[in-house]
């Protein structure tokens, strides 16, 4: 079964850092681009970042550019999101998602991990 | 950035009726448009990609149409499990962008 499992969410103070992980199973993650998508409490979906299968290319939303870094370890089938200089507005459930093989749609999603930025 | 605008914000429909959801892009996204369903406390689920292709395991009562800037998601006969929030998303350009969602509620 194809699965994604996020971890690393926590309560962190403004200005702090956090690293999220997303473990993939049931498929070879190096063959797929992956993204991070977040959802603030009671709000809609916001795409955050993406990384190509080879990790040669990364993309970021303007709201996180310069503060967040996406990387992957294909030998461990794991995706990472390093979040620095966290702000209250970064509070959200963070999902990792896999690109569909024939499109840029997200066909597999993890269950999400909660990040709360508060003093 | 391409802005995706969904309408209506809330759609009240009786079980068995048809639901029609709209999504408009601020510039052309060709057919690079996906629809997702999200239920409370759950991750989104891919319904449609390529504007009109159903994802694996999605019932035939879900259909998508459109290209360019105007898109429609139709649920032909609403079942109890279809009451949820629906999002469109473009993947033609970076950054990827989602619509704000349409909540389909029981009338």
């Amino acid at each position: 079964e194809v699965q994604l499992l996020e971890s690393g969410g926590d309560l962190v103070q403004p200005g702090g850092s956090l690293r999220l992980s997303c473990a993939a199973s049931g498929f070879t993650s190096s063959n797929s681009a992956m993204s991070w998508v977040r959802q603030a409490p009671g709000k809609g979906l916001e795409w955050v970042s993406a990384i190509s299968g080879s990790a040669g290319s990364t993309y970021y939303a303007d709201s996180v550019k310069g503060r967040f870094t996406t990387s992957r370890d294909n030998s461990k089938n794991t995706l990472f999101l390093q979040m620095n200089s966290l702000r209250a507005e970064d509070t959200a459930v963070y999902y990792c998602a896999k690109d569909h093989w024939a499109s840029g749609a997200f066909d597999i999603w993890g269950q999400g991990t909660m990040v709360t930025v508060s003093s | 950035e391409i802005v995706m605008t969904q309408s209506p914000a809330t759609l009240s429909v009786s079980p068995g009726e048809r639901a029609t959801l709209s999504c408009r892009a601020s510039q052309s996204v060709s057919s690079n448009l996906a629809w997702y369903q999200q239920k409370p406390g759950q991750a989104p689920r891919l319904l449609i990609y390529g504007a009109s292709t159903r994802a694996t395991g999605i019932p035939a009562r879900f259909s998508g149409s459109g290209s360019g800037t105007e898109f429609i998601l139709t649920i032909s006969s609403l079942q109890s499990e279809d009451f949820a929030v629906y999002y469109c998303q473009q993947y033609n350009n970076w950054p990827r962008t989602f619509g704000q969602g349409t909540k389909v509620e029981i009338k």
Side-chain angles (χ1 to χ4, degrees):
Chain A
E1 182 185 4
V2 177
Q3 275 190 324
L4 298 171
L5 183 63
E6 302 94 338
S7 61
D10 205 347
L11 169 64
V12 61
Q13 291 189 341
S17 297
L18 206 57
R19 189 195 201 201
L20 306 184
S21 299
C22 170
S25 60
F27 69 100
T28 304
S29 63
S30 60
N31 292 339
S32 300
M34 302 284 293
S35 281
W36 290 96
V37 177
R38 68 185 180 184
Q39 187 168 36
K43 302 298 184 183
L45 301 171
E46 179 188 15
W47 174 82
V48 171
S49 178
I51 186 167
S52 63
S54 64
S57 299
T58 53
Y59 307 87
Y60 298 94
D62 285 346
S63 58
V64 307
K65 199 173 294 182
R67 300 187 298 123
F68 289 13
T69 302
T70 293
S71 61
R72 65 194 302 166
D73 183 341
N74 285 335
S75 68
K76 297 181 179 177
N77 261 11
T78 303
L79 176 72
F80 303 100
L81 183 66
Q82 177 66 43
M83 303 185 294
N84 298 330
S85 303
L86 282 161
R87 306 166 180 167
E89 55 265 35
D90 296 318
T91 294
V93 174
Y94 284 73
Y95 297 100
C96 62
K98 167 189 162 297
D99 270 25
H100 183 270
W101 69 272
S103 76
F106 305 136
D107 63 342
I108 304 296
W109 295 68
Q111 87 293 345
T113 188
M114 184 69 202
V115 173
T116 303
V117 184
S118 175
S119 55
Chain B
E1 168 175 320
I2 296 176
V3 177
M4 308 300 293
T5 303
Q6 292 185 240
S7 60
T10 304
L11 187 61
S12 298
V13 185
S14 300
E17 290 188 339
R18 172 186 295 256
T20 302
L21 289 66
S22 297
C23 175
R24 173 177 292 177
S26 61
Q27 65 187 74
S28 176
V29 298
S30 187
S31 294
N32 296 316
L33 189 285
W35 289 95
Y36 302 87
Q37 176 193 69
Q38 188 179 34
K39 298 178 181 179
Q42 296 184 16
R45 178 175 71 145
L46 177 64
L47 299 175
I48 300 285
Y49 64 93
S52 61
T53 303
R54 279 188 302 277
T56 302
I58 302 303
R61 64 181 182 273
F62 291 92
S63 63
S65 63
S67 66
T69 62
E70 301 284 344
F71 301 89
I72 298 287
L73 175 70
T74 302
I75 311 171
S76 59
S77 177
L78 271 158
Q79 306 298 301
S80 57
E81 61 268 29
D82 300 335
F83 292 96
V85 179
Y86 293 83
Y87 295 93
C88 63
Q89 178 234 339
Q90 66 81 20
Y91 50 89
N92 194 65
N93 286 46
W94 300 103
R96 307 307 197 210
T97 46
F98 289 88
Q100 80 279 17
T102 291
K103 181 180 181 180
V104 177
E105 63 177 26
I106 301 175
K107 186 175 183 180

